Amino acid sequence: MVQRQFPNPAELLELMRFKKPEFDGRKRRLDAALTIDDLRTIAKRRTPKAAFDYTDGAAEGELSLTRARQAFQDVEFHPGILRPAPTVDTAVEILGGPSALPFGIAPTGFTRLMQTEGEVAGAGAAAAAGIPFTLSTLGTTSIEGVKAANPHGRNWFQLYVMRDREISYELARRAAAAGFDTLQFTVDTPVAGARLRDKRNGFSIPPQLTLGTIVNAIPRPWWWYDFLTTPKLEFASLSSTGGTVGELLDAAMDPTISYDDLAVIRDIWPGKIVIKGVQNVEDSVRLRDAGVDGIVLSNHGGRQLDRAPIPFHLLPEVRRAVGDEFTVMIDTGIMNGADIVASVALGADFTLIGRAYLYGLMAGGRAGVDRTIAILRSEIERTMRLLGVSSLAELEPAHVTQLTRLVPVARAASDAVVR
């Protein structure tokens, strides 16, 4: 029989813990975001559909992006027990310099479209966190503007080879003069991928005021206020604007780029050079032998060739093929600090975040980017402690199993014969 009594007022008072109200709406929203997906939800609510879909979407059926994210979800960790890790060291040495965390901010185009602070917010947050920031050729803040936002931190520059080669060469020279220490030479965009969300939305650069965009703007007046009361949205490094993203890319990019172009860029660029957009083992080995400083395994966030290889699945085989001394980085699909830990365990020297950073930017400007970094840092540190490792150097392939959903037909048939 349960014995009941009247509640004791003193005991009730002990249970009452009221939070101090937070009147800053931005801070309240961001504090409530516990994951990158939470930031994505806020970003979708606060950003016009065309701009959000440009960020969130991928090419054609968006299978490459879906598969890349699924690959990280299909990870099984193997923690060690009775291995205390009361503190963890998340710092790495990458491409001749330090990073406080095993990830940096990837190059993203049209960034001020997502939120008016754009690359300045990303570069400032990267500086505060002690991680590299990468400026895109299609950025909306100048090379010199990013340097001013991150004067003492590490700035990287992502380069496309244009039909007019001299434009690309001059950008490389400007970035070198501004003290950018690493060049990401991107090779997976000879032509634009078919980004169907953009076509369906009639998305263009700069955004056009149509009946549809005006209706979509009604619940998001703050975005349009920022857009209409800040400097014109245009490429900081290019003069070409007006048209869909695909039209702009096809007009600017040259589908004939080759190793000859790499040789020219190598002669121009005085710092480290990595090749971004590598998608097979053979190219990884060939580029190592060509003398570049590293590669980024990437399918461009699923925005170019749909059904392209999953970078995270390629990672272990590429690492075995190129050896331990060659720098291998990875992007595409990273939405959690555990994704980054798994990548390092399987051989990545470093990772790059694109959409995760932009979700934070859209959710809250510079403060939102800071929140993205804080969330990922917390997830990395917690995952490392639960695995029983105190430093990134202690992570190894034995800590991770890649569970497979997509098995090549030939391999599946071979396994069946063995059985």
Side-chain angles (χ1 to χ4, degrees):
M1 191 70 173
V2 176
Q3 182 179 353
R4 300 190 182 277
Q5 64 184 31
F6 285 107
N8 185 325
E11 293 176 352
L12 282 176
L13 286 173
E14 291 179 4
L15 298 175
M16 292 181 181
R17 295 289 187 271
F18 297 107
K19 288 184 179 179
K20 182 180 178 181
E22 176 57 68
F23 298 105
D24 183 332
R26 174 183 293 190
K27 188 174 187 307
R28 186 171 62 249
R29 287 193 305 274
L30 295 177
D31 287 349
L34 304 180
T35 66
I36 301 302
D37 199 57
D38 289 343
L39 290 174
R40 178 186 178 276
T41 299
I42 298 169
K44 186 174 184 179
R45 197 165 59 234
R46 296 188 60 80
T47 310
K49 178 176 172 55
F52 178 82
D53 277 355
Y54 170 74
T55 305
D56 193 60
E60 301 191 40
E62 305 191 356
L63 297 175
S64 289
L65 176 59
T66 300
R67 290 174 180 176
R69 286 181 174 168
Q70 188 65 60
F72 283 119
Q73 293 171 18
D74 290 345
V75 159
E76 181 178 85
F77 282 120
H78 306 290
I81 61 168
L82 301 179
R83 296 178 181 177
T87 61
V88 293
D89 182 4
T90 62
V92 295
E93 190 80 8
I94 183 70
L95 296 169
S99 177
L101 294 161
F103 68 88
I105 293 180
T108 60
F110 323 128
T111 310
R112 283 187 55 235
L113 172 75
M114 294 76 173
Q115 201 271 354
T116 192
E117 296 174 61
E119 290 90 354
V120 169
I131 64 175
F133 174 84
T134 314
L135 174 64
S136 169
T137 294
L138 301 179
T140 45
T141 300
S142 70
I143 290 167
E144 295 75 17
V146 165
K147 178 64 176 179
N150 185 15
H152 306 298
R154 299 190 66 190
N155 292 309
W156 297 352
F157 187 71
Q158 175 267 336
L159 184 70
Y160 288 118
V161 171
M162 306 290 180
R163 293 177 186 272
D164 183 345
R165 295 292 198 271
E166 191 53 41
I167 293 175
S168 298
Y169 301 159
E170 180 58 26
L171 290 174
R173 295 186 188 104
R174 278 176 59 193
F180 285 50
D181 65 75
T182 296
L183 187 78
Q184 290 185 22
F185 181 32
T186 299
V187 296
D188 59 3
T189 317
V191 296
R195 301 171 191 180
L196 302 186
R197 290 204 216 181
D198 295 346
K199 292 183 179 180
R200 290 179 180 126
N201 289 329
F203 175 65
S204 64
I205 301 293
Q208 302 300 305
L209 284 172
T210 65
L211 178 61
T213 56
I214 291 171
V215 169
N216 189 250
I218 292 172
R220 301 170 180 86
W222 48 82
W223 189 94
W224 284 99
Y225 173 77
D226 282 342
F227 174 66
L228 296 171
T229 60
T230 54
K232 180 182 177 182
L233 178 63
E234 57 188 357
F235 301 128
S237 301
L238 302 173
S239 59
S240 173
T241 58
T244 68
V245 175
E247 290 168 349
L248 292 170
L249 287 175
D250 285 341
M253 305 310 167
D254 191 334
T256 69
I257 63 170
S258 67
Y259 274 83
D260 292 338
D261 292 294
L262 173 58
V264 173
I265 297 298
R266 176 73 278 186
D267 288 341
I268 291 173
W269 184 255
K272 302 290 186 180
I273 185 168
V274 299
I275 309 305
K276 183 177 183 294
V278 181
Q279 299 178 62
N280 64 54
V281 176
E282 295 75 18
D283 283 338
S284 302
V285 173
R286 190 175 297 116
L287 287 164
R288 178 203 63 187
D289 295 344
V292 301
D293 297 292
I295 57 174
V296 182
L297 297 178
S298 169
N299 63 31
H300 213 103
R303 298 165 73 80
Q304 284 300 107
L305 176 66
D306 205 11
R307 299 177 175 84
I310 300 165
F312 183 59
H313 281 174
L314 279 174
L315 176 59
E317 190 176 359
V318 168
R319 173 51 74 196
R320 287 191 294 269
V322 300
D324 293 336
E325 302 305 313
F326 186 60
T327 297
V328 177
M329 303 191 285
I330 184 175
D331 70 15
T332 305
I334 294 171
M335 289 284 284
N336 190 291
D339 303 340
I340 295 169
V341 172
S343 298
V344 174
L346 290 182
D349 295 294
F350 203 64
T351 64
L352 295 166
I353 60 164
R355 286 183 181 86
Y357 142 61
L358 295 177
Y359 292 145
L361 178 67
M362 289 186 288
R366 163 63 193 276
V369 183
D370 289 335
R371 185 61 179 154
T372 290
I373 295 171
I375 288 171
L376 292 174
R377 178 193 291 114
S378 175
E379 290 169 342
I380 290 168
E381 293 176 347
R382 182 170 58 252
T383 302
M384 290 175 65
R385 288 192 179 100
L386 290 171
L387 286 173
V389 300
S390 298
S391 69
L392 295 168
E394 294 176 35
L395 291 168
E396 56 187 27
H399 284 115
V400 175
T401 294
Q402 289 178 308
L403 305 176
T404 56
R405 296 176 186 233
L406 301 173
V407 180
V409 171
R411 188 186 306 166
S414 169
D415 291 346
V417 170
V418 171
R419 293 192 186 93

PDB file of all heavy atoms in Angstrom, residues 383-417:
ATOM      1  N   THR A 383      32.837  11.826 -28.544  1.00  0.00           N
ATOM      2  CA  THR A 383      33.074  10.554 -29.230  1.00  0.00           C
ATOM      3  C   THR A 383      34.450  10.006 -28.895  1.00  0.00           C
ATOM      4  O   THR A 383      34.606   8.792 -28.655  1.00  0.00           O
ATOM      5  CB  THR A 383      32.932  10.741 -30.756  1.00  0.00           C
ATOM      6  OG1 THR A 383      31.622  11.248 -31.049  1.00  0.00           O
ATOM      7  CG2 THR A 383      33.127   9.424 -31.484  1.00  0.00           C
ATOM      8  N   MET A 384      35.447  10.871 -28.863  1.00  0.00           N
ATOM      9  CA  MET A 384      36.796  10.413 -28.522  1.00  0.00           C
ATOM     10  C   MET A 384      36.851   9.853 -27.100  1.00  0.00           C
ATOM     11  O   MET A 384      37.449   8.789 -26.859  1.00  0.00           O
ATOM     12  CB  MET A 384      37.786  11.570 -28.678  1.00  0.00           C
ATOM     13  CG  MET A 384      38.027  11.977 -30.122  1.00  0.00           C
ATOM     14  SD  MET A 384      39.082  13.457 -30.287  1.00  0.00           S
ATOM     15  CE  MET A 384      40.640  12.852 -29.623  1.00  0.00           C
ATOM     16  N   ARG A 385      36.215  10.542 -26.157  1.00  0.00           N
ATOM     17  CA  ARG A 385      36.213  10.041 -24.777  1.00  0.00           C
ATOM     18  C   ARG A 385      35.518   8.685 -24.680  1.00  0.00           C
ATOM     19  O   ARG A 385      35.980   7.778 -23.971  1.00  0.00           O
ATOM     20  CB  ARG A 385      35.519  11.048 -23.860  1.00  0.00           C
ATOM     21  CG  ARG A 385      36.317  12.313 -23.595  1.00  0.00           C
ATOM     22  CD  ARG A 385      35.711  13.118 -22.449  1.00  0.00           C
ATOM     23  NE  ARG A 385      36.486  14.303 -22.176  1.00  0.00           N
ATOM     24  CZ  ARG A 385      36.189  15.531 -22.582  1.00  0.00           C
ATOM     25  NH1 ARG A 385      35.097  15.725 -23.312  1.00  0.00           N
ATOM     26  NH2 ARG A 385      36.950  16.549 -22.282  1.00  0.00           N
ATOM     27  N   LEU A 386      34.403   8.555 -25.394  1.00  0.00           N
ATOM     28  CA  LEU A 386      33.668   7.286 -25.333  1.00  0.00           C
ATOM     29  C   LEU A 386      34.432   6.158 -26.023  1.00  0.00           C
ATOM     30  O   LEU A 386      34.249   4.980 -25.669  1.00  0.00           O
ATOM     31  CB  LEU A 386      32.286   7.462 -25.962  1.00  0.00           C
ATOM     32  CG  LEU A 386      31.304   8.327 -25.159  1.00  0.00           C
ATOM     33  CD1 LEU A 386      30.050   8.615 -25.966  1.00  0.00           C
ATOM     34  CD2 LEU A 386      30.938   7.646 -23.834  1.00  0.00           C
ATOM     35  N   LEU A 387      35.282   6.501 -26.987  1.00  0.00           N
ATOM     36  CA  LEU A 387      36.121   5.486 -27.617  1.00  0.00           C
ATOM     37  C   LEU A 387      37.336   5.140 -26.767  1.00  0.00           C
ATOM     38  O   LEU A 387      37.996   4.115 -27.010  1.00  0.00           O
ATOM     39  CB  LEU A 387      36.595   5.973 -28.994  1.00  0.00           C
ATOM     40  CG  LEU A 387      35.555   5.974 -30.116  1.00  0.00           C
ATOM     41  CD1 LEU A 387      36.119   6.643 -31.362  1.00  0.00           C
ATOM     42  CD2 LEU A 387      35.101   4.554 -30.434  1.00  0.00           C
ATOM     43  N   GLY A 388      37.654   6.011 -25.802  1.00  0.00           N
ATOM     44  CA  GLY A 388      38.813   5.774 -24.955  1.00  0.00           C
ATOM     45  C   GLY A 388      40.119   6.236 -25.565  1.00  0.00           C
ATOM     46  O   GLY A 388      41.170   5.634 -25.334  1.00  0.00           O
ATOM     47  N   VAL A 389      40.062   7.323 -26.354  1.00  0.00           N
ATOM     48  CA  VAL A 389      41.281   7.864 -26.944  1.00  0.00           C
ATOM     49  C   VAL A 389      41.455   9.316 -26.491  1.00  0.00           C
ATOM     50  O   VAL A 389      40.487  10.060 -26.374  1.00  0.00           O
ATOM     51  CB  VAL A 389      41.270   7.794 -28.483  1.00  0.00           C
ATOM     52  CG1 VAL A 389      41.148   6.350 -28.943  1.00  0.00           C
ATOM     53  CG2 VAL A 389      40.144   8.625 -29.079  1.00  0.00           C
ATOM     54  N   SER A 390      42.706   9.690 -26.249  1.00  0.00           N
ATOM     55  CA  SER A 390      42.998  11.031 -25.747  1.00  0.00           C
ATOM     56  C   SER A 390      43.462  11.989 -26.831  1.00  0.00           C
ATOM     57  O   SER A 390      43.493  13.198 -26.611  1.00  0.00           O
ATOM     58  CB  SER A 390      44.067  10.957 -24.648  1.00  0.00           C
ATOM     59  OG  SER A 390      43.612  10.190 -23.552  1.00  0.00           O
ATOM     60  N   SER A 391      43.853  11.461 -27.980  1.00  0.00           N
ATOM     61  CA  SER A 391      44.319  12.315 -29.071  1.00  0.00           C
ATOM     62  C   SER A 391      43.883  11.714 -30.399  1.00  0.00           C
ATOM     63  O   SER A 391      43.600  10.507 -30.500  1.00  0.00           O
ATOM     64  CB  SER A 391      45.841  12.459 -29.044  1.00  0.00           C
ATOM     65  OG  SER A 391      46.452  11.234 -29.395  1.00  0.00           O
ATOM     66  N   LEU A 392      43.854  12.548 -31.423  1.00  0.00           N
ATOM     67  CA  LEU A 392      43.464  12.073 -32.742  1.00  0.00           C
ATOM     68  C   LEU A 392      44.443  11.036 -33.267  1.00  0.00           C
ATOM     69  O   LEU A 392      44.064  10.125 -34.019  1.00  0.00           O
ATOM     70  CB  LEU A 392      43.379  13.253 -33.701  1.00  0.00           C
ATOM     71  CG  LEU A 392      42.287  14.284 -33.379  1.00  0.00           C
ATOM     72  CD1 LEU A 392      42.487  15.545 -34.206  1.00  0.00           C
ATOM     73  CD2 LEU A 392      40.901  13.699 -33.624  1.00  0.00           C
ATOM     74  N   ALA A 393      45.724  11.141 -32.846  1.00  0.00           N
ATOM     75  CA  ALA A 393      46.735  10.186 -33.307  1.00  0.00           C
ATOM     76  C   ALA A 393      46.448   8.769 -32.828  1.00  0.00           C
ATOM     77  O   ALA A 393      46.932   7.794 -33.417  1.00  0.00           O
ATOM     78  CB  ALA A 393      48.115  10.638 -32.831  1.00  0.00           C
ATOM     79  N   GLU A 394      45.671   8.626 -31.766  1.00  0.00           N
ATOM     80  CA  GLU A 394      45.351   7.293 -31.241  1.00  0.00           C
ATOM     81  C   GLU A 394      44.236   6.610 -32.021  1.00  0.00           C
ATOM     82  O   GLU A 394      44.018   5.404 -31.880  1.00  0.00           O
ATOM     83  CB  GLU A 394      44.943   7.392 -29.769  1.00  0.00           C
ATOM     84  CG  GLU A 394      46.059   7.846 -28.839  1.00  0.00           C
ATOM     85  CD  GLU A 394      45.554   8.017 -27.411  1.00  0.00           C
ATOM     86  OE1 GLU A 394      44.675   7.235 -26.991  1.00  0.00           O
ATOM     87  OE2 GLU A 394      46.020   8.950 -26.744  1.00  0.00           O
ATOM     88  N   LEU A 395      43.505   7.372 -32.829  1.00  0.00           N
ATOM     89  CA  LEU A 395      42.440   6.764 -33.630  1.00  0.00           C
ATOM     90  C   LEU A 395      43.044   5.888 -34.720  1.00  0.00           C
ATOM     91  O   LEU A 395      44.041   6.252 -35.341  1.00  0.00           O
ATOM     92  CB  LEU A 395      41.570   7.850 -34.266  1.00  0.00           C
ATOM     93  CG  LEU A 395      40.703   8.658 -33.308  1.00  0.00           C
ATOM     94  CD1 LEU A 395      40.130   9.886 -34.014  1.00  0.00           C
ATOM     95  CD2 LEU A 395      39.569   7.797 -32.757  1.00  0.00           C
ATOM     96  N   GLU A 396      42.420   4.748 -34.977  1.00  0.00           N
ATOM     97  CA  GLU A 396      42.929   3.813 -35.980  1.00  0.00           C
ATOM     98  C   GLU A 396      41.761   3.065 -36.607  1.00  0.00           C
ATOM     99  O   GLU A 396      40.635   3.091 -36.090  1.00  0.00           O
ATOM    100  CB  GLU A 396      43.917   2.848 -35.347  1.00  0.00           C
ATOM    101  CG  GLU A 396      43.354   2.090 -34.169  1.00  0.00           C
ATOM    102  CD  GLU A 396      44.414   1.274 -33.452  1.00  0.00           C
ATOM    103  OE1 GLU A 396      45.603   1.644 -33.507  1.00  0.00           O
ATOM    104  OE2 GLU A 396      44.037   0.252 -32.837  1.00  0.00           O
ATOM    105  N   PRO A 397      42.001   2.390 -37.738  1.00  0.00           N
ATOM    106  CA  PRO A 397      40.907   1.678 -38.409  1.00  0.00           C
ATOM    107  C   PRO A 397      40.159   0.689 -37.524  1.00  0.00           C
ATOM    108  O   PRO A 397      38.965   0.456 -37.740  1.00  0.00           O
ATOM    109  CB  PRO A 397      41.627   0.971 -39.565  1.00  0.00           C
ATOM    110  CG  PRO A 397      42.799   1.849 -39.870  1.00  0.00           C
ATOM    111  CD  PRO A 397      43.243   2.372 -38.538  1.00  0.00           C
ATOM    112  N   ALA A 398      40.827   0.137 -36.526  1.00  0.00           N
ATOM    113  CA  ALA A 398      40.163  -0.832 -35.651  1.00  0.00           C
ATOM    114  C   ALA A 398      39.027  -0.209 -34.852  1.00  0.00           C
ATOM    115  O   ALA A 398      38.174  -0.940 -34.328  1.00  0.00           O
ATOM    116  CB  ALA A 398      41.181  -1.460 -34.699  1.00  0.00           C
ATOM    117  N   HIS A 399      38.984   1.109 -34.781  1.00  0.00           N
ATOM    118  CA  HIS A 399      37.907   1.769 -34.048  1.00  0.00           C
ATOM    119  C   HIS A 399      36.607   1.847 -34.845  1.00  0.00           C
ATOM    120  O   HIS A 399      35.567   2.207 -34.291  1.00  0.00           O
ATOM    121  CB  HIS A 399      38.315   3.208 -33.671  1.00  0.00           C
ATOM    122  CG  HIS A 399      39.274   3.265 -32.516  1.00  0.00           C
ATOM    123  ND1 HIS A 399      40.569   3.723 -32.642  1.00  0.00           N
ATOM    124  CD2 HIS A 399      39.120   2.924 -31.218  1.00  0.00           C
ATOM    125  CE1 HIS A 399      41.171   3.669 -31.469  1.00  0.00           C
ATOM    126  NE2 HIS A 399      40.322   3.191 -30.581  1.00  0.00           N
ATOM    127  N   VAL A 400      36.652   1.531 -36.140  1.00  0.00           N
ATOM    128  CA  VAL A 400      35.499   1.778 -37.011  1.00  0.00           C
ATOM    129  C   VAL A 400      35.239   0.588 -37.941  1.00  0.00           C
ATOM    130  O   VAL A 400      36.174   0.023 -38.502  1.00  0.00           O
ATOM    131  CB  VAL A 400      35.723   3.039 -37.889  1.00  0.00           C
ATOM    132  CG1 VAL A 400      34.584   3.228 -38.883  1.00  0.00           C
ATOM    133  CG2 VAL A 400      35.874   4.277 -37.019  1.00  0.00           C
ATOM    134  N   THR A 401      33.989   0.241 -38.071  1.00  0.00           N
ATOM    135  CA  THR A 401      33.547  -0.655 -39.143  1.00  0.00           C
ATOM    136  C   THR A 401      32.575   0.107 -40.025  1.00  0.00           C
ATOM    137  O   THR A 401      31.640   0.732 -39.524  1.00  0.00           O
ATOM    138  CB  THR A 401      32.847  -1.909 -38.586  1.00  0.00           C
ATOM    139  OG1 THR A 401      33.789  -2.701 -37.858  1.00  0.00           O
ATOM    140  CG2 THR A 401      32.258  -2.750 -39.714  1.00  0.00           C
ATOM    141  N   GLN A 402      32.828   0.078 -41.331  1.00  0.00           N
ATOM    142  CA  GLN A 402      31.901   0.670 -42.294  1.00  0.00           C
ATOM    143  C   GLN A 402      30.877  -0.399 -42.676  1.00  0.00           C
ATOM    144  O   GLN A 402      31.197  -1.363 -43.370  1.00  0.00           O
ATOM    145  CB  GLN A 402      32.633   1.147 -43.548  1.00  0.00           C
ATOM    146  CG  GLN A 402      33.507   2.369 -43.345  1.00  0.00           C
ATOM    147  CD  GLN A 402      34.233   2.753 -44.628  1.00  0.00           C
ATOM    148  OE1 GLN A 402      34.882   1.920 -45.243  1.00  0.00           O
ATOM    149  NE2 GLN A 402      34.133   4.004 -45.030  1.00  0.00           N
ATOM    150  N   LEU A 403      29.657  -0.238 -42.208  1.00  0.00           N
ATOM    151  CA  LEU A 403      28.593  -1.161 -42.571  1.00  0.00           C
ATOM    152  C   LEU A 403      28.150  -0.831 -43.992  1.00  0.00           C
ATOM    153  O   LEU A 403      28.052   0.338 -44.363  1.00  0.00           O
ATOM    154  CB  LEU A 403      27.422  -1.028 -41.599  1.00  0.00           C
ATOM    155  CG  LEU A 403      27.795  -1.199 -40.113  1.00  0.00           C
ATOM    156  CD1 LEU A 403      26.571  -0.941 -39.237  1.00  0.00           C
ATOM    157  CD2 LEU A 403      28.358  -2.582 -39.840  1.00  0.00           C
ATOM    158  N   THR A 404      27.908  -1.841 -44.809  1.00  0.00           N
ATOM    159  CA  THR A 404      27.642  -1.587 -46.223  1.00  0.00           C
ATOM    160  C   THR A 404      26.199  -1.897 -46.588  1.00  0.00           C
ATOM    161  O   THR A 404      25.656  -2.931 -46.236  1.00  0.00           O
ATOM    162  CB  THR A 404      28.561  -2.433 -47.122  1.00  0.00           C
ATOM    163  OG1 THR A 404      28.390  -3.819 -46.789  1.00  0.00           O
ATOM    164  CG2 THR A 404      30.004  -2.047 -46.918  1.00  0.00           C
ATOM    165  N   ARG A 405      25.603  -0.965 -47.320  1.00  0.00           N
ATOM    166  CA  ARG A 405      24.299  -1.176 -47.937  1.00  0.00           C
ATOM    167  C   ARG A 405      24.475  -1.343 -49.444  1.00  0.00           C
ATOM    168  O   ARG A 405      23.726  -2.062 -50.082  1.00  0.00           O
ATOM    169  CB  ARG A 405      23.370   0.015 -47.677  1.00  0.00           C
ATOM    170  CG  ARG A 405      23.034   0.225 -46.213  1.00  0.00           C
ATOM    171  CD  ARG A 405      22.197   1.468 -46.033  1.00  0.00           C
ATOM    172  NE  ARG A 405      22.002   1.751 -44.617  1.00  0.00           N
ATOM    173  CZ  ARG A 405      20.817   1.939 -44.050  1.00  0.00           C
ATOM    174  NH1 ARG A 405      19.723   1.880 -44.772  1.00  0.00           N
ATOM    175  NH2 ARG A 405      20.723   2.204 -42.768  1.00  0.00           N
ATOM    176  N   LEU A 406      25.453  -0.632 -49.998  1.00  0.00           N
ATOM    177  CA  LEU A 406      25.679  -0.650 -51.437  1.00  0.00           C
ATOM    178  C   LEU A 406      26.915  -1.493 -51.734  1.00  0.00           C
ATOM    179  O   LEU A 406      28.041  -1.051 -51.506  1.00  0.00           O
ATOM    180  CB  LEU A 406      25.893   0.772 -51.959  1.00  0.00           C
ATOM    181  CG  LEU A 406      24.730   1.748 -51.710  1.00  0.00           C
ATOM    182  CD1 LEU A 406      25.135   3.157 -52.110  1.00  0.00           C
ATOM    183  CD2 LEU A 406      23.505   1.314 -52.493  1.00  0.00           C
ATOM    184  N   VAL A 407      26.723  -2.717 -52.204  1.00  0.00           N
ATOM    185  CA  VAL A 407      27.827  -3.619 -52.531  1.00  0.00           C
ATOM    186  C   VAL A 407      27.841  -3.833 -54.036  1.00  0.00           C
ATOM    187  O   VAL A 407      26.821  -4.200 -54.620  1.00  0.00           O
ATOM    188  CB  VAL A 407      27.664  -4.972 -51.814  1.00  0.00           C
ATOM    189  CG1 VAL A 407      28.818  -5.903 -52.166  1.00  0.00           C
ATOM    190  CG2 VAL A 407      27.600  -4.763 -50.302  1.00  0.00           C
ATOM    191  N   PRO A 408      28.980  -3.570 -54.706  1.00  0.00           N
ATOM    192  CA  PRO A 408      29.026  -3.777 -56.153  1.00  0.00           C
ATOM    193  C   PRO A 408      28.576  -5.172 -56.555  1.00  0.00           C
ATOM    194  O   PRO A 408      28.866  -6.148 -55.860  1.00  0.00           O
ATOM    195  CB  PRO A 408      30.508  -3.547 -56.483  1.00  0.00           C
ATOM    196  CG  PRO A 408      31.001  -2.648 -55.402  1.00  0.00           C
ATOM    197  CD  PRO A 408      30.250  -3.054 -54.171  1.00  0.00           C
ATOM    198  N   VAL A 409      27.890  -5.268 -57.674  1.00  0.00           N
ATOM    199  CA  VAL A 409      27.316  -6.544 -58.114  1.00  0.00           C
ATOM    200  C   VAL A 409      28.387  -7.609 -58.255  1.00  0.00           C
ATOM    201  O   VAL A 409      28.218  -8.748 -57.812  1.00  0.00           O
ATOM    202  CB  VAL A 409      26.569  -6.342 -59.453  1.00  0.00           C
ATOM    203  CG1 VAL A 409      26.152  -7.685 -60.046  1.00  0.00           C
ATOM    204  CG2 VAL A 409      25.349  -5.464 -59.238  1.00  0.00           C
ATOM    205  N   ALA A 410      29.529  -7.276 -58.875  1.00  0.00           N
ATOM    206  CA  ALA A 410      30.583  -8.270 -59.084  1.00  0.00           C
ATOM    207  C   ALA A 410      31.068  -8.831 -57.763  1.00  0.00           C
ATOM    208  O   ALA A 410      31.301 -10.030 -57.616  1.00  0.00           O
ATOM    209  CB  ALA A 410      31.740  -7.642 -59.862  1.00  0.00           C
ATOM    210  N   ARG A 411      31.220  -7.966 -56.759  1.00  0.00           N
ATOM    211  CA  ARG A 411      31.697  -8.427 -55.462  1.00  0.00           C
ATOM    212  C   ARG A 411      30.651  -9.291 -54.789  1.00  0.00           C
ATOM    213  O   ARG A 411      30.957 -10.315 -54.184  1.00  0.00           O
ATOM    214  CB  ARG A 411      32.047  -7.229 -54.572  1.00  0.00           C
ATOM    215  CG  ARG A 411      32.719  -7.629 -53.277  1.00  0.00           C
ATOM    216  CD  ARG A 411      32.930  -6.429 -52.360  1.00  0.00           C
ATOM    217  NE  ARG A 411      33.646  -5.352 -53.051  1.00  0.00           N
ATOM    218  CZ  ARG A 411      33.717  -4.116 -52.578  1.00  0.00           C
ATOM    219  NH1 ARG A 411      33.113  -3.797 -51.465  1.00  0.00           N
ATOM    220  NH2 ARG A 411      34.397  -3.197 -53.254  1.00  0.00           N
ATOM    221  N   ALA A 412      29.380  -8.872 -54.886  1.00  0.00           N
ATOM    222  CA  ALA A 412      28.321  -9.664 -54.288  1.00  0.00           C
ATOM    223  C   ALA A 412      28.259 -11.064 -54.906  1.00  0.00           C
ATOM    224  O   ALA A 412      28.092 -12.074 -54.218  1.00  0.00           O
ATOM    225  CB  ALA A 412      26.990  -8.955 -54.444  1.00  0.00           C
ATOM    226  N   ALA A 413      28.412 -11.153 -56.256  1.00  0.00           N
ATOM    227  CA  ALA A 413      28.385 -12.435 -56.930  1.00  0.00           C
ATOM    228  C   ALA A 413      29.549 -13.306 -56.503  1.00  0.00           C
ATOM    229  O   ALA A 413      29.434 -14.513 -56.291  1.00  0.00           O
ATOM    230  CB  ALA A 413      28.397 -12.229 -58.446  1.00  0.00           C
ATOM    231  N   SER A 414      30.729 -12.676 -56.348  1.00  0.00           N
ATOM    232  CA  SER A 414      31.925 -13.414 -55.911  1.00  0.00           C
ATOM    233  C   SER A 414      31.745 -13.988 -54.528  1.00  0.00           C
ATOM    234  O   SER A 414      32.098 -15.120 -54.252  1.00  0.00           O
ATOM    235  CB  SER A 414      33.125 -12.476 -55.939  1.00  0.00           C
ATOM    236  OG  SER A 414      34.245 -13.037 -55.302  1.00  0.00           O
ATOM    237  N   ASP A 415      31.173 -13.195 -53.613  1.00  0.00           N
ATOM    238  CA  ASP A 415      30.937 -13.669 -52.262  1.00  0.00           C
ATOM    239  C   ASP A 415      29.984 -14.853 -52.257  1.00  0.00           C
ATOM    240  O   ASP A 415      30.131 -15.801 -51.495  1.00  0.00           O
ATOM    241  CB  ASP A 415      30.348 -12.543 -51.394  1.00  0.00           C
ATOM    242  CG  ASP A 415      31.379 -11.442 -51.132  1.00  0.00           C
ATOM    243  OD1 ASP A 415      32.569 -11.690 -51.386  1.00  0.00           O
ATOM    244  OD2 ASP A 415      30.983 -10.354 -50.701  1.00  0.00           O
ATOM    245  N   ALA A 416      28.974 -14.797 -53.145  1.00  0.00           N
ATOM    246  CA  ALA A 416      28.010 -15.880 -53.205  1.00  0.00           C
ATOM    247  C   ALA A 416      28.657 -17.191 -53.629  1.00  0.00           C
ATOM    248  O   ALA A 416      28.344 -18.267 -53.128  1.00  0.00           O
ATOM    249  CB  ALA A 416      26.879 -15.506 -54.165  1.00  0.00           C
ATOM    250  N   VAL A 417      29.612 -17.098 -54.566  1.00  0.00           N
ATOM    251  CA  VAL A 417      30.326 -18.291 -55.035  1.00  0.00           C
ATOM    252  C   VAL A 417      31.152 -18.890 -53.918  1.00  0.00           C
ATOM    253  O   VAL A 417      31.200 -20.104 -53.711  1.00  0.00           O
ATOM    254  CB  VAL A 417      31.213 -17.939 -56.249  1.00  0.00           C
ATOM    255  CG1 VAL A 417      32.127 -19.101 -56.592  1.00  0.00           C
ATOM    256  CG2 VAL A 417      30.350 -17.564 -57.435  1.00  0.00           C
TER     257      VAL A 417
END
